[in-house]
Amino acid sequence: MVTLYEHVFNWKPYLQFGTRQFFKRKQTIYSQGTPGDGFYFLHKGLVRIVSVNATGKERILNIVIPNQLMGVQSFDQKEHFTTAIAVQDSIVYHFSNRKFKQLLKEKPEIVRVFSRTVIHKMKILLDRINLDTLTSEQKIALLLHNICFEFQNLEVPLNQQDIASCTGLTRISVYKVLKQWKEKGIIDIINKKYYIKKPDFFRNLVN
């Protein structure tokens, strides 16, 4: 079934203008401080966006899920001020400035799709600005809320290590929170996969 999200932000007709690239888990897609040329579209997988301060401490700013853009801030060929790292094996399409100009000329309707995708991404990014002030439970709830409810799917496409990598928590902390949620009937675990049973719990916890 095609969701509203997939319909409004449908990039499939335009992927031919991008360069298909494959990144393995933990591989860097682009790095903070390096010059950019265009932007990236995540077709499959999961990517975390981080910033690194002068002491080398990493801070997670965003989690990119399929059908979202990343690296847009360097569209004007300035340096990336973030780093993108694949959480899972991922397929991305890189749209260079030259290719995007060609796309605009041949398919001008892409302006609306591009704008809506960027605005949607900014909304999610704003939700994460104060991520460091949240409790472990809130961090995990926010992650699962954003990922699962984007596609109206209550199956969590992540394992414990993925959740730990995305939130910056330890695997033990993630395990404790998920265990508590299972005991309370908030989630279920079937064949090592997590399923959300009480979606309102996540909405209330992150709002």
Side-chain angles (χ1 to χ4, degrees), residues 4-204:
L4 175 62
Y5 182 89
E6 291 171 324
H7 174 70
V8 174
F9 304 99
N10 183 19
W11 278 77
K12 289 181 181 179
Y14 316 112
L15 295 183
Q16 58 180 309
F17 290 87
T19 301
R20 189 175 186 270
Q21 301 176 350
F22 176 78
F23 293 90
K24 292 184 178 180
R25 183 173 177 268
K26 294 185 177 181
Q27 190 173 357
T28 298
I29 298 171
Y30 59 81
S31 301
Q32 182 174 328
T34 60
D37 175 26
F39 59 91
Y40 297 85
F41 172 84
L42 180 60
H43 179 63
K44 184 178 180 180
L46 197 69
V47 175
R48 61 190 174 110
I49 306 298
V50 305
S51 65
V52 181
N53 61 23
T55 63
K57 185 177 179 180
E58 185 180 284
R59 181 188 181 191
I60 297 178
L61 299 178
N62 189 22
I63 303 298
V64 181
I65 61 178
N67 289 346
Q68 288 186 350
L69 303 180
M70 52 187 171
V72 177
Q73 71 276 4
S74 65
F75 187 67
D76 54 1
Q77 297 183 313
K78 292 184 178 179
E79 291 184 351
H80 290 286
F81 59 79
T82 60
T83 296
I85 304 169
V87 177
Q88 300 175 345
D89 290 350
S90 301
I91 297 174
V92 305
Y93 284 82
H94 179 251
F95 290 82
S96 66
N97 288 332
R98 182 180 63 81
K99 280 291 186 179
F100 191 62
K101 288 178 181 178
Q102 179 184 349
L103 175 57
L104 286 172
K105 185 178 296 185
E106 297 187 24
K107 297 184 181 293
E109 72 276 8
I110 187 61
V111 172
R112 183 178 63 173
V113 180
F114 180 82
S115 299
R116 287 179 175 177
T117 307
V118 171
I119 291 172
H120 184 76
K121 176 182 174 62
M122 291 302 102
K123 178 181 180 299
I124 292 176
L125 183 58
L126 286 174
D127 289 339
R128 297 183 174 277
I129 289 179
N130 296 318
L131 189 64
D132 290 341
T133 66
L134 302 179
T135 65
S136 297
E137 189 176 30
Q138 288 175 320
K139 289 179 180 180
I140 298 173
L142 180 61
L143 172 67
L144 300 189
H145 179 272
N146 283 343
I147 291 177
C148 295
F149 294 103
E150 289 291 351
F151 300 102
Q152 301 174 8
N153 186 356
L154 300 185
E155 177 183 339
V156 181
L158 306 173
N159 58 35
Q160 283 187 27
Q161 186 57 56
D162 291 335
I163 296 173
S165 297
C166 290
T167 58
L169 299 171
T170 65
R171 193 167 181 175
I172 294 176
S173 296
V174 172
Y175 168 78
K176 289 180 178 179
V177 171
L178 295 178
K179 182 181 179 182
Q180 291 176 357
W181 286 350
K182 186 180 186 305
E183 292 173 349
K184 295 178 180 179
I186 297 169
I187 66 171
D188 200 2
I189 304 176
I190 303 174
N191 296 328
K192 297 183 178 180
K193 290 187 177 182
Y194 301 101
Y195 297 86
I196 297 175
K197 297 178 65 178
K198 296 182 179 180
D200 287 341
F201 171 82
F202 292 94
R203 292 193 187 96
N204 295 332

